[in-house]
Structures are given as structure tokens and as C-alpha cells.
Amino acid sequence: MRIIFFTILLSLSAGSVYSHQCVLSGTDASEIAIYNACKNDLAMGMDGHESSATSATGVTDQVSQKLILLEAENRQLQAKLALLRNRLLDFIRDL
């Protein structure tokens, strides 16, 4: 389970390296307008990329919460198994 968590975390951090960056390629009005539109899309979250810092943090938080819930469920299931094992052993002793 930890391997999956760290794989997801690593892939999210690696995704930010390949994220889209706005680059001003000229000084004329059309290039500046394209650059400004790109920066606006990044700021508004409409760039089509989900690897911004806030969304990556949100995904990491969700994964962490899910991991905590799964570990708690795992402990509950282990306790149930131990109870069933003890009941079965008691039943076998009574035979």
C-alpha cells in the first residue's frame, strides 16, 4: 500500500516538471496578447493541466486521507479475523 502511495506522490511531483509554461516569444501586440491569455488561463485553472500546485496538494491530501481510512479499515478487519479465529478455536476445543 505504501508503494502505491509513494508512486502516486512521485508521479504528481514529476508531472509538475512537464507542466505547461507560458513563454513570451516576441514583443509585438499579438505575442503579448497570447502570453497574457496563457497566464490568465493558468491563473484561472482553465489551462487543461491538473498539475498545478494547489491541485497537486489537494490530490495528495485526498490520497493521504484515503490511506488513513484504509489503514483503519485494515486494523478493524484484522481484529474481526482474530475474534473469529478465537471463536473457531473455542468451538474446536468444545468438540
Side-chain angles (χ1 to χ4, degrees):
M1 183 56 78
R2 290 181 182 162
I3 293 172
I4 294 171
F5 174 72
F6 287 119
T7 303
I8 291 171
L9 187 63
L10 182 63
S11 67
L12 289 175
S13 65
S16 64
V17 172
Y18 298 107
S19 66
H20 177 73
Q21 299 294 324
C22 298
V23 178
L24 181 60
S25 60
T27 58
D28 59 341
S30 63
E31 294 295 326
I32 293 172
I34 292 170
Y35 175 78
N36 287 338
C38 179
K39 291 300 263 186
N40 185 44
D41 287 346
L42 285 173
M44 299 298 289
M46 299 183 313
D47 57 345
H49 299 286
E50 298 301 325
S51 62
S52 67
T54 56
S55 66
T57 303
V59 169
T60 303
D61 290 342
Q62 289 175 353
V63 169
S64 296
Q65 290 175 354
K66 182 72 172 178
L67 181 63
I68 291 168
L69 291 174
L70 288 173
E71 287 175 343
E73 183 181 7
N74 190 18
R75 285 190 297 271
Q76 289 175 348
L77 290 172
Q78 287 175 347
K80 284 183 180 181
L81 279 174
L83 179 65
L84 287 173
R85 185 178 325 130
N86 289 338
R87 285 184 181 175
L88 183 60
L89 289 173
D90 289 342
F91 180 72
I92 291 173
R93 283 187 208 131
D94 290 341
L95 292 178

